[in-house]
Amino acid sequence: MKTITNIEYYNQEKIKDTDFLWKFVSLDKFLSTIINQKLYFTRLDRFEDCLEGANPNLLLLNLLKKNILNTNAFKEIQQIHGIDLFPSKTDELIEKLKEIQLFNFANCWFISSKNVESTAMWNLYSSKNSVALNISYKNFIESIKKYNLKSRIVEKLTLGPIDYIDFQNPEEIANQKNNNWYNPFIKDKSFSHENEFRLVAEIEKYEINPIKYKEGISKYYQDEFHKKTSQIYGLDICFEEFINYNFEVVFHPKSEDWFKNDVNCLLSKLDIPFKTRDSNLKLK
């Protein structure tokens, strides 16, 4: 494990010290976090949004192609022949995006300006008898600056809130800070309900060796085995002095008493001083 020294902050003007960060998690992820004192980061191409980390130039090209191909003239041609526009530039930008996604990983939080819970986030990312980790943004950043973060392979860590823009609006896309930058902090407005703050970990590039098929074993099995063993799909970042982060554990609105008691007992046995409380929501 090595200490991560290259830490940058993005979009800091869009989040206040008084804002709160929420992470809604299942029980297994919560246990892994508190027992191992680490956060898990998912590779960008494993998220639902296939444009994670997109370059604004790619977004503009996609929009231009869509608008041209939707004209009546091109619609008639497409009924007879398959057609594409700017294929070489499209391939260049998409291949670069795939490369960016392979070597960048994210851990995501929900931003609440008044420390208000989100029913949508509870429903999307947790279930009955699960929890959320809750912390003020100020405390979170101060703790990161005070205590070391460690990883075996992370070269750079960037933290900041997401910019939500309209991917169908060329002016909004063109107004991005740097059109040549593949940006893991821009997403389409259709995801704005997530109000996301994220940590993005970048690792050093590594070679993915081509598969060499062997006789007597199905290609399907070899393909699946090669995918699992030749690539990195997720990684952990360990938090030194994790128990000194002022996290609060909030129980799911539908959590039962036995579950709350078990979580409190576990925290006590692990000497983790996080406060716990019930959700402020009441759900049927």
Side-chain angles (χ1 to χ4, degrees):
M1 286 281 186
K2 62 181 180 180
T3 298
I4 302 172
T5 57
N6 188 3
I7 300 178
E8 295 185 0
Y9 299 88
Y10 178 83
N11 254 354
Q12 295 304 289
E13 70 280 2
K14 292 193 174 182
I15 189 167
K16 302 181 182 68
D17 284 347
T18 54
D19 289 341
F20 279 76
L21 302 179
W22 287 75
K23 189 164 189 65
F24 301 86
V25 292
S26 59
L27 179 59
D28 58 329
K29 291 181 179 178
F30 171 67
L31 293 176
S32 176
T33 298
I34 63 169
I35 291 172
N36 299 300
Q37 301 189 14
K38 65 183 183 182
L39 289 179
Y40 180 78
F41 286 64
T42 301
R43 201 170 76 183
L44 289 187
D45 65 343
R46 311 297 286 180
F47 287 100
E48 183 179 16
D49 182 8
C50 62
L51 291 173
E52 288 279 0
N55 181 317
N57 287 331
L58 174 59
L59 301 177
L60 288 171
L61 182 63
N62 286 343
L63 189 57
L64 175 62
K65 291 172 64 173
K66 176 182 175 182
N67 290 337
I68 294 175
L69 293 172
N70 280 340
T71 61
N72 290 332
F74 275 93
K75 283 183 178 179
E76 292 179 4
I77 295 173
Q78 284 181 303
Q79 292 178 357
I80 304 172
H81 301 287
I83 190 169
D84 191 17
L85 300 172
F86 320 115
S88 59
K89 189 62 177 179
T90 300
D91 287 343
E92 174 191 335
L93 291 171
I94 289 179
E95 286 304 310
K96 184 62 177 178
L97 174 60
K98 289 181 178 179
E99 179 183 309
I100 294 296
Q101 291 177 336
L102 279 177
F103 305 113
N104 284 270
F105 302 74
N107 182 275
C108 310
W109 298 69
F110 173 77
I111 303 171
S112 174
S113 61
K114 295 184 179 179
N115 205 18
V116 176
E117 296 173 56
S118 168
T119 302
M121 294 298 105
W122 278 122
N123 290 336
L124 281 171
Y125 298 109
S126 65
S127 58
K128 179 181 177 181
N129 293 332
S130 60
V131 301
L133 286 173
N134 172 236
I135 190 171
S136 72
Y137 174 70
K138 180 181 180 181
N139 186 278
F140 188 65
I141 296 301
E142 286 179 347
S143 298
I144 285 177
K145 291 178 178 179
K146 184 176 181 180
Y147 306 116
N148 289 331
L149 303 178
K150 292 194 172 184
S151 170
R152 290 186 177 86
I153 57 176
V154 172
E155 298 293 321
K156 177 182 176 182
L157 184 67
T158 307
L159 301 78
I162 293 292
D163 275 324
Y164 293 99
I165 65 173
D166 185 355
F167 282 6
Q168 306 307 311
N169 186 326
E171 290 185 6
E172 287 194 31
I173 298 172
N175 283 336
Q176 288 304 296
K177 295 176 181 177
N178 186 340
N179 282 347
N180 294 316
W181 184 35
Y182 284 78
N183 188 350
F185 291 92
I186 60 171
K187 290 176 71 74
D188 185 67
K189 281 186 176 178
S190 58
F191 291 93
S192 61
H193 61 281
E194 296 178 348
N195 203 23
E196 183 183 336
F197 177 92
R198 64 171 41 176
L199 296 79
V200 176
E202 181 179 346
I203 67 172
E204 187 176 353
K205 295 179 182 178
Y206 62 92
E207 293 293 329
I208 301 176
N209 296 322
I211 187 170
K212 296 179 180 179
Y213 292 106
K214 300 178 181 178
E215 293 185 3
I217 305 174
S218 71
K219 286 188 175 181
Y220 171 79
Y221 176 84
Q222 293 183 69
D223 285 339
E224 292 301 306
F225 184 77
H226 183 262
K227 287 178 184 178
K228 292 178 182 178
T229 57
S230 65
Q231 301 180 35
I232 301 170
Y233 291 99
L235 57 86
D236 296 317
I237 290 183
C238 295
F239 283 57
E240 281 193 354
E241 305 296 334
F242 183 74
I243 62 174
N244 289 328
Y245 282 69
N246 193 25
F247 283 116
E248 183 178 57
V249 178
V250 182
F251 295 114
H252 189 282
K254 296 182 180 180
S255 287
E256 299 173 285
D257 288 341
W258 66 263
F259 173 78
K260 299 174 190 176
N261 291 333
D262 284 353
V263 170
N264 282 317
C265 286
L266 178 64
L267 292 173
S268 177
K269 288 181 178 179
L270 294 174
D271 291 323
I272 296 176
F274 297 164
K275 295 180 180 179
T276 63
R277 70 169 174 86
D278 291 340
S279 166
N280 290 325
L281 301 175
K282 291 187 177 180
L283 302 177
K284 290 183 179 180

